[in-house]
Amino acid sequence: MKTLLTLAAALLALCGLASAGVELSEDQKQLMKQLRSACMAETGVDEATIDACKTGQFADDPKLKCYLKCTYQQMTVMDDDGVVDADMLLTMLPEEIQPKAEPVVNACKEMRGADACDNAMMFNKCLYEKAPDYYMVV
């Protein structure tokens, strides 16, 4: 299971490249679907609410906030307190985009809300605001 999560983490990092023209393999797409399904089942969030994030529409929905937390925790880049491990997240990205991603991730990693779910939401909103062309949600 840990291997699956590590692969899913790497895939999420790659997923952000989809808008930059990088195609995911069918296996990678399947792992992304599994991660989405697991976190949707855990939180009960509606799929349309998740998909709306792709265009910067972040609903003020506790289920969405906890869904985002779930994806980061499954990828092992967020702890139970909602603190983002920016270094871990950056190491999962392909080397060629790390220089572009680093200032964005570092600018957003300190976002803090009322709890871990709120932190995940604030982190995502910040990522979208700073790099909408590269933002993607699982």
Side-chain angles (χ1 to χ4, degrees):
M1 184 64 166
K2 187 70 169 175
T3 302
L4 176 63
L5 296 179
T6 302
L7 287 173
L11 292 175
L12 182 63
L14 288 172
C15 194
L17 293 177
S19 61
V22 174
E23 285 293 319
L24 299 177
S25 73
E26 287 306 313
D27 287 343
Q28 292 169 329
K29 289 176 186 177
Q30 185 60 35
L31 285 174
M32 297 300 289
K33 286 179 186 177
Q34 289 174 356
L35 179 60
R36 179 179 262 222
S37 293
C39 289
M40 282 179 67
E42 181 178 312
T43 63
V45 70
D46 181 70
E47 192 163 21
T49 304
I50 298 166
D51 290 338
C53 295
K54 295 175 187 175
T55 59
Q57 298 173 29
F58 295 89
D60 188 18
D61 179 348
K63 291 178 182 179
L64 175 62
K65 292 176 182 183
C66 290
Y67 169 83
L68 296 170
K69 178 193 81 161
C70 176
T71 61
Y72 285 119
Q73 287 184 334
Q74 292 293 319
M75 296 182 326
T76 69
V77 297
M78 180 177 276
D79 67 18
D80 290 337
D81 295 323
V83 176
V84 174
D85 184 341
D87 292 334
M88 174 68 85
L89 181 59
L90 289 167
T91 62
M92 293 178 183
L93 297 172
E95 287 183 27
E96 61 269 17
I97 69 161
Q98 287 179 7
K100 292 179 183 178
E102 186 173 7
V104 174
V105 171
N106 284 330
C108 297
K109 71 180 181 182
E110 299 299 328
M111 304 300 284
R112 297 289 183 267
D115 57 26
C117 295
D118 207 32
N119 290 358
M121 174 68 95
M122 293 176 73
F123 181 68
N124 270 268
K125 283 182 175 180
C126 181
L127 292 175
Y128 182 84
E129 289 168 8
K130 299 220 178 276
D133 292 339
Y134 290 97
Y135 180 80
M136 192 148 203
V137 65
V138 173

